[in-house]
Amino acid sequence: MNQRKRKQAVNDRRPKIIPFSLDATFFFERAVQSLDRFHYDKALKYFRRAVEYEPDNPVNHCNMAGILSEMGRYEESNDILRSVLDKIDPAMTECYYYLANNYANMEKYEDAEDALVRYLETDAEGQFLDEADELLDLLHYELNRPTKLSTIKSKENVYAHDKARELLEAGRFAEAVRILEEIIGRQPDFLAARNNLGLAYYYMGLFDKSIQTISEVLEAEPGNLHALCNLAIFYQHSNQAKELAELLALLRKTIPFHPEHVFKLATTLGIVGEHQEAYRHFRRLLRSGELAGEPSLHHFAAVAAANIGRFDDAERYWQQAERLDPQSEVPPFYLKKLERMKSGEAAPPTHYHYHLPFDEQFRKWEQAPELVPGALKQDPLVRSSFFWALRHGDRRTKVQVIQALGLVADEEVIDALKAFLVDPEEEDELKRVAVLVLRSIGVQDSLSVMFGGKTLTLEPRRKSARLPVWDSAWQTVLEQAMEQMSGRYDVVQQHDMMTLWVDYLSRVYPQVPKLHNSAAWAAALEYWTAKMHRQSVTYAELVDRYQASQASISRYANRIDEACGIREKLKLSMTLSAFKENR
């Protein structure tokens, strides 16, 4: 046998040794095997060894506490759990549930309640929520009282989302956006919250942000029907015809089962002009009977029917809506208009909202402006239509909306008008109206305004009492002054004229004089504005431009001075200036 073969033979006779390491994983696996065989003593021994190898690993300690609990050694189990929370990992909030379970087994129900409340209020994962509910029921029975619970941490986002939805339904969009953004910051995969955030942006007229938000939902879940429907509406209003056509091809083939999804799809198809498909889905809902008692559903079916020429069906649905909701003005309004629709004199409604058309609402409110605040505060659909019109209406509508929003003057309205002031796409004249309304409702802080492509800061010059209404006659005076001062005075000077007008009206309200000669009042405002800014202007010039008599302009200028004390302020200003020069 040669040397190589002898060496191979020796190696073949050597015993084969399989190395293994004794570590925490080894003892953990042995413990699990023992548990599977219900050998609790061995399992406990192996978990203790795992703890020895990894004393800072809280899971090993919790496993050991779990075995002790299974063995009925609850006090020892609790000692370990408290040690984990106090010394090793306070973030192991599930230990509170284990403690609660042990205390309940020891019939220490108040201690169990304290531990369970601590678990529910601090644990963000909610791993034992179902078990916690059962334990709450037990404690309620044993203690003969409900458990006081301020919040459930793991359901915090769910509760916040419910609150945001309530705010959306109430038309308080800015508040809803704030809550929804916070939810998504904490839980980015909460798609329902992201969907509603997209809607809130849409109601506020923020198209780009709404499309971006809904696109994020569809990236995570391409088949999300609510997101697809929302996106279709956003595409329509942003005139993205190609994208809308591709999306509609998909939605036409979609046949949802759940009534909520059917309703969402039907209203969406109607809004984007697919009235035939919308009518088909509305009829499905009415035949199913689940939502047949909703007057709004009958109204939507009537709108769809009218748009495809089925006027008899539309009449039947509006009549049913009127029976279900006799207090509403909507069904009678359209039933009265139906004959004109049939003859082609009037077009069917194009919107799918259960309220009167925007123009019709304004006609009513012009006759009774005291109704505006209540309608805007109580009806979220009306409120959303106002915010929509502020962003996307024509010039006349925007003026009406700005004035109407001033009658509500809540925090969200003020924020919306301030955002309007810095929008580069809006007209300067409309922004001046918005400034006037903000000042008239008592907003006395500095205002950032983009005029002529430049951002300016308008400081308040006078504080005024809030005016409860804004009269069209007051607006006429303002508009005449603005028209004549445009190009002759800068933006700050024009703002001061508006502020002076609000200040005067506030001081004399409610004894505001009759403003029959609006041109003379406007000229008087320009007169004092020029004097305040040391700008040259003569009565003769004002008479020529405003086509008003000098006597009237002088009389109204004196009335403004009597209320606001302008001459005295100008004298004081000149005295102070002279004093500074002499120094």
Side-chain angles (χ1 to χ4, degrees):
M1 183 181 296
N2 59 34
Q3 185 70 21
R4 182 180 295 176
K5 288 184 178 180
R6 280 200 302 271
K7 187 175 180 180
Q8 181 66 41
V10 171
N11 288 340
D12 289 343
R13 288 195 298 271
R14 287 177 182 170
K16 291 184 170 64
I17 298 174
I18 302 174
F20 72 96
S21 60
L22 295 176
D23 57 13
T25 302
F26 170 80
F27 288 110
F28 173 82
E29 291 173 351
R30 286 296 179 91
V32 172
Q33 292 171 7
S34 298
L35 276 178
D36 290 340
R37 299 185 180 95
F38 302 102
H39 296 162
Y40 294 122
D41 289 337
K42 285 187 176 182
L44 179 60
K45 181 181 70 175
Y46 288 130
F47 277 132
R48 286 190 193 279
R49 294 299 304 276
V51 167
E52 291 173 6
Y53 276 92
E54 292 183 356
D56 294 329
N57 186 339
V59 175
N60 293 330
H61 291 268
C62 288
N63 287 331
M64 190 162 62
I67 291 295
L68 289 168
S69 181
E70 288 290 334
M71 297 170 72
R73 296 159 64 176
Y74 302 118
E75 285 288 6
E76 294 176 68
S77 175
N78 285 350
D79 288 342
I80 294 171
L81 293 170
R82 282 190 287 266
S83 176
V84 170
L85 290 167
D86 294 340
K87 301 175 183 178
I88 301 173
D89 187 0
M92 287 281 289
T93 50
E94 58 264 43
C95 289
Y96 291 114
Y97 171 74
Y98 301 142
L99 283 166
N101 203 52
N102 283 343
Y103 282 129
N105 283 311
M106 297 164 69
E107 298 186 1
K108 294 184 176 181
Y109 297 117
E110 291 191 356
D111 290 337
E113 182 182 52
D114 290 342
L116 188 61
V117 167
R118 190 75 178 271
Y119 167 72
L120 290 171
E121 291 183 350
T122 59
D123 185 79
E125 301 300 322
Q127 180 182 355
F128 299 107
L129 267 186
D130 291 340
E131 294 86 348
D133 282 341
E134 293 179 10
L135 189 49
L136 279 173
D137 290 339
L138 171 66
L139 295 176
H140 188 177
Y141 173 77
E142 294 293 346
L143 297 173
N144 196 29
R145 58 173 170 77
T147 296
K148 292 182 180 179
L149 190 63
S150 62
T151 185
I152 298 179
K153 181 72 172 179
S154 61
K155 289 187 175 181
E156 205 169 46
N157 285 340
V158 175
Y159 294 150
H161 183 238
D162 290 341
K163 175 65 175 177
R165 288 180 62 181
E166 290 174 7
L167 291 170
L168 274 179
E169 291 169 3
R172 294 160 64 183
F173 308 118
E175 291 179 67
V177 164
R178 179 181 57 79
I179 293 175
L180 291 167
E181 287 177 340
E182 289 174 357
I183 292 172
I184 291 169
R186 293 190 298 264
Q187 188 178 343
D189 62 346
F190 198 153
L191 297 186
R194 202 175 287 272
N195 238 333
N196 281 317
L197 179 60
L199 271 180
Y201 286 145
Y202 168 77
Y203 288 140
M204 295 173 72
L206 305 174
F207 281 152
D208 291 341
K209 296 184 77 170
S210 62
I211 289 179
Q212 177 187 343
T213 305
I214 295 302
S215 298
E216 291 167 357
V217 175
L218 292 171
E219 285 176 12
E221 189 179 301
N224 188 297
L225 183 62
H226 279 276
L228 290 170
C229 289
N230 291 339
L231 192 59
I233 295 171
F234 301 164
Y235 280 155
Q236 185 198 43
H237 287 289
S238 55
N239 297 315
Q240 298 186 46
K242 181 181 177 182
E243 292 84 350
L244 177 60
E246 293 173 356
L247 185 50
L248 285 179
L250 172 63
L251 292 178
R252 289 191 201 99
K253 296 184 289 186
T254 303
I255 309 294
F257 173 75
H258 195 282
E260 180 187 352
H261 291 166
V262 179
F263 182 78
K264 178 72 175 181
L265 179 60
T267 51
T268 299
L269 290 169
I271 290 169
V272 299
E274 296 287 321
H275 303 294
Q276 183 70 54
E277 292 296 316
Y279 183 64
R280 181 166 64 92
H281 289 296
F282 283 130
R283 290 188 64 193
R284 277 184 62 206
L285 281 173
L286 289 169
R287 284 199 300 268
S288 71
E290 292 191 45
L291 299 175
E294 289 290 332
S296 58
L297 179 57
H298 292 271
H299 167 70
F300 298 147
V303 171
N307 274 280
I308 60 176
R310 303 186 66 154
F311 296 110
D312 291 341
D313 291 343
E315 182 176 21
R316 188 173 72 254
Y317 289 128
W318 272 318
Q319 287 172 344
Q320 181 62 14
E322 187 175 30
R323 285 191 289 270
L324 291 169
D325 189 8
Q327 303 301 318
S328 174
E329 299 174 286
V330 177
F333 173 81
Y334 286 109
L335 284 169
K336 186 177 179 180
K337 195 176 179 182
L338 191 57
E339 288 302 319
R340 294 174 58 217
M341 291 185 207
K342 291 179 180 178
S343 65
E345 295 177 41
T350 56
H351 65 85
Y352 281 74
H353 299 300
Y354 190 50
H355 59 67
L356 294 176
F358 198 75
D359 289 343
E360 183 65 23
Q361 289 172 343
F362 257 120
R363 276 194 289 272
K364 288 181 58 182
W365 292 334
E366 284 175 346
Q367 298 170 2
E370 68 277 4
L371 299 177
V372 178
L376 284 173
K377 289 179 179 178
Q378 296 168 14
D379 192 333
L381 291 176
V382 172
R383 189 179 178 92
S384 67
S385 68
F386 269 68
F387 282 108
W388 173 267
L390 179 63
R391 291 279 182 177
H392 308 289
D394 58 27
R395 189 180 189 283
R396 176 178 172 275
T397 299
K398 286 183 179 183
V399 171
Q400 292 175 313
V401 167
I402 292 169
Q403 294 174 6
L405 289 176
L407 297 173
V408 180
D410 58 23
E411 185 176 344
E412 185 167 33
V413 164
I414 292 171
D415 288 344
L417 291 177
K418 285 183 175 180
F420 185 85
L421 294 179
V422 294
D423 189 338
E425 302 297 322
E426 298 296 347
E427 295 181 27
D428 289 354
E429 291 300 317
L430 293 174
K431 291 176 184 176
R432 291 187 178 99
V433 177
V435 168
L436 174 68
V437 168
L438 285 168
R439 293 304 189 211
S440 74
I441 62 179
V443 177
Q444 292 302 323
D445 53 346
S446 300
L447 296 175
S448 292
V449 190
M450 183 172 281
F451 281 134
K454 296 180 180 179
T455 301
L456 304 175
T457 299
L458 301 179
E459 300 290 348
R461 294 179 65 90
R462 297 174 179 82
K463 291 190 175 182
S464 61
R466 174 176 167 173
L467 298 173
V469 295
W470 183 254
D471 193 279
S472 59
W474 307 346
Q475 179 69 20
T476 300
V477 172
L478 178 71
E479 289 176 351
Q480 285 182 280
M482 293 298 301
E483 181 181 354
Q484 290 298 326
M485 292 175 67
S486 180
R488 294 183 173 87
Y489 298 80
D490 63 28
V491 169
V492 173
Q493 292 166 340
Q494 292 177 52
H495 168 258
D496 287 348
M497 181 276 294
M498 292 190 292
T499 306
L500 173 60
W501 187 223
V502 174
D503 186 39
Y504 169 72
L505 293 171
S506 300
R507 289 174 185 272
V508 300
Y509 188 85
Q511 281 77 43
V512 178
K514 299 294 183 182
L515 305 176
H516 298 304
N517 192 349
S518 58
W521 279 100
L525 285 173
E526 181 179 338
Y527 174 82
W528 283 122
T529 303
K531 294 297 182 184
M532 288 188 294
H533 287 275
R534 300 183 181 183
Q535 189 160 322
S536 176
V537 68
T538 64
Y539 277 120
E541 181 186 346
L542 295 173
V543 167
D544 181 58
R545 284 197 284 109
Y546 284 90
Q547 295 296 299
S549 70
Q550 180 174 333
S552 296
I553 297 173
S554 177
R555 183 167 65 253
Y556 296 149
N558 287 332
R559 285 196 183 184
I560 293 173
D561 177 51
E562 287 171 7
C564 301
I566 303 175
R567 282 192 178 92
E568 288 300 319
K569 292 174 184 175
L570 289 175
K571 286 179 183 178
L572 177 61
S573 176
M574 292 175 67
T575 301
L576 289 173
S577 297
F579 176 74
K580 289 178 182 177
E581 289 173 4
N582 290 335
R583 289 182 67 189

